[in-house]
């Protein structure tokens, strides 16, 4: 007797599609692997930009994780709403975001908030506004170790900036932030070599700051691709995010990591425009519209279908002549990139033992919750 696939939903008829669905048991298994990969839970600072929900993040808290990373003020507020003890806004705030961050600090005093800076101008503005609000903001210097997106190169300029931060009354330098998301080699040995090379100047900066009399700076490093490498270091905080749901993209290039897909997009056939074309209800608004069209979503129960066109509400795929698909058929799709896909949905339906059991609201997909 053929076994029912893990993703199958017995009461799928009650789901209006396209629908984001999450499998909590698999989420818990991913969290268990995460916590088992480090020697101390205090070394984990997972990024919540993937799940954006209180329910998923509570599972991390229940697993003993107390430190978190986020990319938006709304994500920071979502974390504070569930009493997350330590929240790093891994983003350098402009003036408007500074006001919002300071408001969060006043509204949720039980949560310690921090943020990134990579220049003195922003740091001074942050300090001045913090002093006016009667607050001190912990900050991490953002390093550019090859991502070429934000941060400053790991040079003596970092030592200068760190020293200047220590003189500002409204901020308190805590450490260094080094994201190496550009390192995605499928060969773990090659990825490890590149990761170690990028990390070496970060370690040297830490030692140099200690030599100048600073407390040992905290190092917040890496993402999902380099997690197994940084996890073996004794004194860094690791901040993967995608691990919680996983996706087709990382599954294909990070084969050494045993995380498993825990969130899918369910779609239906809505039209058969000709003998080989099938139209599904999963358009740009339903799955991350990045990368090659053929790779945006993989259907577990129809892997042979080839995407040939996508618009806002539709995905057209090519099937073989004489296929048996019909209008109303349900497809279970694994997105290539789950993080921006989740942000397209206000809620995710939870699936347990093949049944729809509830909803997780994607509360921090909004730019503003209350602050």
């Amino acid at each position: 007797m053929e076994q029912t696939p893990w993703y199958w939903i017995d009461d799928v008829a009650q789901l209006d599609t396209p629908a984001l669905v999450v499998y909590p048991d698999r989420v818990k298994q991913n969290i268990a692997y995460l916590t088992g990969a480090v020697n101390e839970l205090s070394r984990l600072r997972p990024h919540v930009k993937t799940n954006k929900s209180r329910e998923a993040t509570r599972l991390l808290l229940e697993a003993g994780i107390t430190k978190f990373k986020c990319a938006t003020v709304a994500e920071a507020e979502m974390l504070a709403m569930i009493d997350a003890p330590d929240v790093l806004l891994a983003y350098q705030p402009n003036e408007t975001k500074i006001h919002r961050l300071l408001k969060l600090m006043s509204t949720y005093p039980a949560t310690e908030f921090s943020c990134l800076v990579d220049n003195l101008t922003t740091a001074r503005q942050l300090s001045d506004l913090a002093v006016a609000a009667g607050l001190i903001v912990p900050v991490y210097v953002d390093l550019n170790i090859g991502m070429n997106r934000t941060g400053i190169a790991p040079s003596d300029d970092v030592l200068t900036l760190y020293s200047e931060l220590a003189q500002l009354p409204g901020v308190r330098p805590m450490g260094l932030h080094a994201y190496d998301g550009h390192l995605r080699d499928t060969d773990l040995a090659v990825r490890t070599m590149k990761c170690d090379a990028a990390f070496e100047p970060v370690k040297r900066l830490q030692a140099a700051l200690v030599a100048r009399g600073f407390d040992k700076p905290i190092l917040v490093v890496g993402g999902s691709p380099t997690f197994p490498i940084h996890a073996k270091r004794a004194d860094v905080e690791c901040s993967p995010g995608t691990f919680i749901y996983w996706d087709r993209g990382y599954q294909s290039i990070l084969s050494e990591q045993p995380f498993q897909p825990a969130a899918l997009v369910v779609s239906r056939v809505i039209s058969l425009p000709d003998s080989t074309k099938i139209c599904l209800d999963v358009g740009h608004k339903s799955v991350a519209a990045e990368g090659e069209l053929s790779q945006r979503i993989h259907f577990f129960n129809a892997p042979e279908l080839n995407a040939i066109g996508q618009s806002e509400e539709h995905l057209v795929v090519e099937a073989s002549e004489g296929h048996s698909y019909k209008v109303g058929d349900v497809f279970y799709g694994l997105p290539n990139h789950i993080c921006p896909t989740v942000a397209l949905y206000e809620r995710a339906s939870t699936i347990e033992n093949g049944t729809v059991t509830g909803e997780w609201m994607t509360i921090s997909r909004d730019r503003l919750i209350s602050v």
Side-chain angles (χ1 to χ4, degrees), residues 161-189:
L161 177 59
Y162 208 91
S163 297
E164 291 169 334
L165 293 175
Q167 301 304 311
L168 296 176
V171 301
R172 183 172 72 250
M174 301 292 293
L176 307 173
H177 174 267
Y179 178 57
D180 51 13
H182 59 296
L183 302 178
R184 300 186 175 204
D185 300 86
T186 56
D187 187 326
L188 179 59

Side-chain angles (χ1 to χ4, degrees), residues 155-164 205 208-209 212 214:
S155 64
D156 287 347
D157 291 342
V158 176
L159 304 179
T160 300
L161 177 59
Y162 208 91
S163 297
E164 291 169 334
L205 283 172
L209 288 167
R212 290 191 176 199
F214 290 104

Side-chain angles (χ1 to χ4, degrees), residues 101-179:
L101 176 61
L102 295 175
K103 179 67 173 177
L104 276 184
M105 295 177 71
S106 298
T107 305
Y108 298 97
T111 297
E112 179 177 282
F113 295 95
S114 56
C115 70
L116 302 183
V117 295
D118 69 8
N119 69 87
L120 187 57
T121 299
T122 298
R124 283 174 172 160
Q125 184 179 51
L126 177 61
S127 176
D128 290 345
L129 292 173
V131 168
L135 297 167
I136 297 176
V137 183
V139 297
Y140 291 77
V141 173
D142 190 20
L143 303 180
N144 177 11
I145 58 171
M147 189 73 184
N148 295 326
R149 185 173 66 185
T150 62
I152 57 176
S155 64
D156 287 347
D157 291 342
V158 176
L159 304 179
T160 300
L161 177 59
Y162 208 91
S163 297
E164 291 169 334
L165 293 175
Q167 301 304 311
L168 296 176
V171 301
R172 183 172 72 250
M174 301 292 293
L176 307 173
H177 174 267
Y179 178 57

Side-chain angles (χ1 to χ4, degrees), residues 329-352:
D329 282 351
V330 174
F331 292 163
Y332 297 84
L334 176 62
N336 191 65
H337 195 178
I338 190 64
C339 309
T341 297
V342 168
L344 297 171
Y345 294 85
E346 66 179 7
R347 68 193 69 218
S349 295
T350 53
I351 311 300
E352 299 173 272

Side-chain angles (χ1 to χ4, degrees), residues 115-370:
C115 70
L116 302 183
V117 295
D118 69 8
N119 69 87
L120 187 57
T121 299
T122 298
R124 283 174 172 160
Q125 184 179 51
L126 177 61
S127 176
D128 290 345
L129 292 173
V131 168
L135 297 167
I136 297 176
V137 183
V139 297
Y140 291 77
V141 173
D142 190 20
L143 303 180
N144 177 11
I145 58 171
M147 189 73 184
N148 295 326
R149 185 173 66 185
T150 62
I152 57 176
S155 64
D156 287 347
D157 291 342
V158 176
L159 304 179
T160 300
L161 177 59
Y162 208 91
S163 297
E164 291 169 334
L165 293 175
Q167 301 304 311
L168 296 176
V171 301
R172 183 172 72 250
M174 301 292 293
L176 307 173
H177 174 267
Y179 178 57
D180 51 13
H182 59 296
L183 302 178
R184 300 186 175 204
D185 300 86
T186 56
D187 187 326
L188 179 59
V190 173
R191 201 182 331 139
T192 299
M193 178 185 65
K194 292 181 178 179
C195 179
D196 289 344
F199 181 70
E200 185 57 35
V202 180
K203 284 292 291 181
R204 289 200 299 268
L205 283 172
Q206 183 188 51
L209 288 167
V210 171
R212 290 191 176 199
F214 290 104
D215 292 338
K216 189 175 182 180
I218 299 168
L219 303 182
V220 180
V221 299
S224 293
T226 55
F227 170 67
I229 304 165
H230 291 303
K232 295 179 181 178
R233 308 191 199 283
D235 58 352
V236 302
E237 293 183 2
C238 303
S239 51
T242 309
F243 75 92
I244 196 164
Y245 289 162
W246 217 225
D247 57 27
R248 177 75 167 177
Y250 277 164
Q251 185 184 56
S252 64
I253 66 172
L254 307 178
S255 60
E256 80 286 344
Q257 299 193 41
F259 299 118
Q260 54 190 353
L264 302 177
V265 171
V266 181
S267 175
R268 282 189 174 90
V269 176
I270 58 172
S271 182
L272 301 172
D274 67 25
S275 62
T276 62
K277 292 183 180 62
I278 300 173
C279 184
L280 312 176
D281 57 0
V282 58
H284 297 150
K285 296 176 181 177
S286 309
V287 68
E290 60 179 295
E292 295 182 17
L293 174 60
S294 62
Q295 297 179 353
R296 290 176 188 168
I297 188 167
H298 170 77
F299 297 108
F300 284 132
N301 58 325
E304 80 286 359
L305 297 181
N306 179 42
I308 58 174
Q310 190 178 32
S311 54
E312 293 184 31
E313 309 290 352
H314 305 85
L315 176 70
V316 178
V317 298
E318 187 80 22
S320 60
E321 194 75 48
H323 69 81
S324 60
Y325 296 116
K326 57 186 182 298
V327 171
D329 282 351
V330 174
F331 292 163
Y332 297 84
L334 176 62
N336 191 65
H337 195 178
I338 190 64
C339 309
T341 297
V342 168
L344 297 171
Y345 294 85
E346 66 179 7
R347 68 193 69 218
S349 295
T350 53
I351 311 300
E352 299 173 272
N353 298 317
T355 303
V356 179
T357 57
E359 294 180 336
W360 289 357
M361 300 303 297
T362 319
I363 184 173
S364 59
R365 72 189 284 261
D366 296 337
R367 292 295 177 179
L368 175 70
I369 297 178
S370 70

